[in-house]
Amino acid sequence: MSSPGRSEAAEQTLLVGNLESRVREEILCELFLQAGPLTKVMICEDKEGKPKSFGYVCFKHKVSLPYAKALLDGIRLYGRPIIVQYWKGMFHSPNDFLWLLQREGFSPCGFLFAKRIQ
């Protein structure tokens, strides 16, 4: 079986944001597995290896994405509502996702590539 190409993989990927620092890939895997079989779960890390507040969940079948988004968008993990978004076509860069978070009233502190407010 061949691995999916980049375009196909993007169509099968959800971006998950507003993750609390205690959320681990295993927790996301168990949570998103409710919506369908997964191929990959990844929480992004900074240069020091600390988890960032976003990650990616890749499904085996793209039909699982709308169900996962409807089921899990806004669910609270460690007191924080997670934000589930489609990856393909939704954002051209991680900064687009940051803009969405700010628009929705979330603080930019701790989100992808956001600078520390001093």
Side-chain angles (χ1 to χ4, degrees):
M1 179 168 92
S2 64
S3 61
R6 279 190 175 184
S7 177
E8 186 178 333
E11 291 175 358
Q12 295 170 209
T13 302
L14 290 174
L15 180 61
V16 184
N18 200 33
L19 298 176
E20 207 271 350
S21 62
R22 293 176 285 176
V23 175
R24 298 291 176 250
E25 290 174 355
E26 294 82 11
I27 293 172
L28 285 184
C29 183
E30 289 295 324
L31 187 64
F32 281 85
L33 194 56
Q34 297 175 63
L38 305 173
T39 58
K40 185 174 184 176
V41 174
M42 183 180 82
I43 295 178
C44 298
E45 298 177 342
D46 64 16
K47 292 178 183 178
E48 287 120 28
K50 294 179 184 174
K52 290 190 176 186
S53 61
F54 70 100
Y56 304 93
V57 177
C58 303
F59 285 89
K60 185 174 183 180
H61 310 289
K62 62 183 173 182
V63 70
S64 300
L65 274 71
Y67 181 61
K69 183 173 179 355
L71 182 67
L72 301 170
D73 188 32
I75 196 167
R76 291 184 173 272
L77 290 179
Y78 294 105
R80 258 195 202 176
I82 64 171
I83 298 173
V84 180
Q85 293 291 328
Y86 298 105
W87 178 249
K88 184 172 176 137
M90 183 65 182
F91 306 107
H92 300 288
S93 74
N95 288 328
D96 292 343
F97 186 59
L98 176 60
W99 172 84
L100 173 69
L101 293 173
Q102 289 174 319
R103 188 190 78 185
E104 297 297 323
F106 293 96
S107 167
C109 297
F111 288 106
L112 29 127
F113 311 118
K115 292 185 177 178
R116 199 177 227 170
I117 298 174
Q118 298 183 9

